[in-house]
Amino acid sequence: MNRRKFIQNTALTSAGIAAGVAGISCKEVENKTQDTEEKIIASSSKPNYISISTWNTESANTASGELLAQGKPALDAIIEGVAVEEANEKNTTVGIGATPDREGNVTLDACVMSPDGDYGAVLAVENIVHVAALARKVMEETPHVIMASKGAEEFAYSQGFKKEKLLTPASEKAWKEWLKTSDYQPAINVENHDTIGMLAMDASGEIAGVCTTSGLGYKMKGRVGDSPIIGSGLFVDNEVGAAVATGMGEEVLKTVGSFLVVELMRNGMSPQKACEEAIHRIVKRGDRYKDFQVAYIAMNKNGETGNYAIHPGFTMMKYQDGKSENIISDYYNKA
Ligand code: SD4
């Protein structure tokens, strides 16, 4: 018996019994059966593979999605996917060309989590473009999970990473312009690009996640945000799902946001509801949310996804079964 037939027969039998008990007609039974069948099929329509990422990061997410389509593991797909934007000089929030700290140093943060629940991160690294790949090296080639600053940079060279100048003429010019006022007020949405958080489920159903960023533009020297911190910027539990954050890292850290989203999904919430609840945890801490943006994206083991932000302007890229779309996120601040 094929699956559709099985679902139909199962639904018919239960609906028939229910009709006998409730005293309703055969036609009504048939209609109810169709409803039930559609609901069962909808809830079990898991994508073959899926990649989602924060903001309008189409090139990175499509690169990941296409690798998944070729049957590549989720972990490889996301690292190669974000590498596309890390190498893009025009992207001012990741890799080469990223906005520096207020002293002109470009320092990058990244982390990765595997389907096995392993994790690796690098904090405040200079001169290395592909910090997501470096975080993977920390995870796979060292007994540690986090490496910071100079030590992480030296480890990168030992692994064959090249030394590169991350401050481009354009980012240097923008920094010098900023120095004229030195006004540190992170914009609610940094237009077009931002931290790239990416989650993927491969054809075997395995989930992995990554986050790569230069953090907040013109931050204090040494400042590290949520992005490379397990449970805050990113969390993956291959039995449940995964979540990743973007926006004001200080606020995500205080609520351990990505872990919270995954735990809410573990307790039965959809990815969408879980993202909404994690945002509510932030906004209920007081009116300060009016001045900063935070957004989450999430996926569960069934390939269902969710996204939610404090303010309008956030979008999520989704590549699923050969199709790429940019989804405009719902948000809390409708005032
Ligand atoms: C941070 N969460 O360093 C990052 C920055 C970011 O949108 O995502 N900005 O706080």
Side-chain angles (χ1 to χ4, degrees):
M1 189 188 306
N2 69 27
R3 193 170 148 276
R4 191 178 174 91
K5 203 80 202 146
F6 171 77
I7 291 169
Q8 205 165 36
N9 284 351
T10 314
L12 263 174
T13 315
S14 8
I17 294 167
V21 174
I24 56 177
S25 76
C26 277
K27 190 71 207 158
E28 280 171 300
V29 169
E30 226 170 78
N31 289 344
K32 280 184 193 307
T33 303
Q34 257 169 21
D35 281 359
T36 314
E37 190 189 347
E38 270 156 27
K39 271 182 202 141
I40 293 169
I41 288 174
S43 69
S44 61
S45 60
K46 186 175 169 178
N48 293 322
Y49 58 84
I50 178 167
S51 181
I52 57 174
S53 58
T54 50
W55 306 99
N56 187 8
T57 45
E58 181 162 17
S59 54
N61 200 54
T62 300
S64 165
E66 286 174 350
L67 290 168
L68 295 171
Q70 292 163 23
K72 290 271 162 58
L75 188 57
D76 293 345
I78 54 175
I79 298 289
E80 289 186 42
V82 298
V84 171
E85 282 300 318
E86 287 174 332
N88 176 4
E89 284 196 16
K90 295 211 172 94
N91 186 327
T92 57
T93 58
V94 298
I96 192 159
T99 305
D101 65 20
R102 56 189 62 178
E103 294 177 30
N105 314 295
V106 180
T107 61
L108 304 178
D109 302 329
C111 76
V112 62
M113 244 184 125
S114 77
D116 298 334
D118 284 331
Y119 157 78
V122 290
L123 280 56
V125 183
E126 293 181 58
N127 304 314
I128 304 292
V129 174
H130 294 297
V131 279
L134 181 59
R136 182 178 185 175
K137 288 285 185 195
V138 170
M139 177 173 82
E140 293 178 342
E141 307 295 337
T142 78
H144 308 304
V145 294
I146 300 179
M147 292 186 75
S149 194
K150 284 283 165 238
E153 190 181 335
E154 280 162 25
F155 170 65
Y157 301 137
S158 78
Q159 295 293 311
F161 287 74
K162 271 199 322 210
K163 179 169 184 161
E164 288 178 72
K165 189 168 167 20
L166 303 181
L167 192 70
T168 57
S171 52
E172 187 170 7
K173 191 168 165 233
W175 166 59
K176 290 198 168 136
E177 200 49 43
W178 176 81
L179 280 178
K180 290 182 186 160
T181 58
S182 298
D183 179 23
Y184 181 70
Q185 184 56 261
I188 284 198
N189 291 308
V190 179
E191 303 315 327
N192 297 325
H193 294 290
D194 219 289
T195 290
I196 308 183
M198 187 181 286
L199 309 173
M201 178 158 50
D202 60 29
S204 316
E206 306 279 288
I207 300 177
V210 68
C211 200
T212 182
T213 189
S214 56
L216 298 178
Y218 313 124
K219 60 194 176 186
M220 289 174 71
K221 183 176 181 183
R223 180 265 184 193
V224 172
D226 61 311
S227 300
I229 305 299
I230 187 170
S232 288
L234 172 72
F235 196 70
V236 176
D237 183 325
N238 198 30
E239 285 181 5
V240 177
V244 67
T246 180
M248 184 63 81
E250 281 71 6
E251 303 300 321
V252 176
L253 281 161
K254 287 180 223 167
T255 49
V256 199
S258 294
F259 183 70
L260 174 62
V261 173
V262 173
E263 290 307 294
L264 291 168
M265 292 195 290
R266 188 193 309 282
N267 290 323
M269 267 190 204
S270 66
Q272 182 59 35
K273 284 273 167 266
C275 290
E276 289 173 19
E277 175 59 25
I279 290 293
H280 291 157
R281 293 280 173 104
I282 294 175
V283 300
K284 77 179 185 197
R285 299 184 68 244
D287 270 3
R288 285 178 311 117
Y289 75 83
K290 291 183 178 152
D291 297 329
F292 59 78
Q293 174 71 298
V294 172
Y296 293 102
I297 66 171
M299 79 166 58
N300 67 13
K301 202 57 188 167
N302 213 24
E304 292 157 342
T305 62
N307 51 82
Y308 199 65
I310 298 178
H311 301 284
F314 177 63
T315 64
M316 175 182 86
M317 286 308 308
K318 180 171 179 174
Y319 190 99
Q320 180 176 321
D321 296 339
K323 197 171 135 254
S324 173
E325 50 178 328
N326 190 224
I327 296 167
I328 296 174
S329 179
D330 194 8
Y331 53 92
Y332 174 81
N333 190 11
K334 302 257 164 55

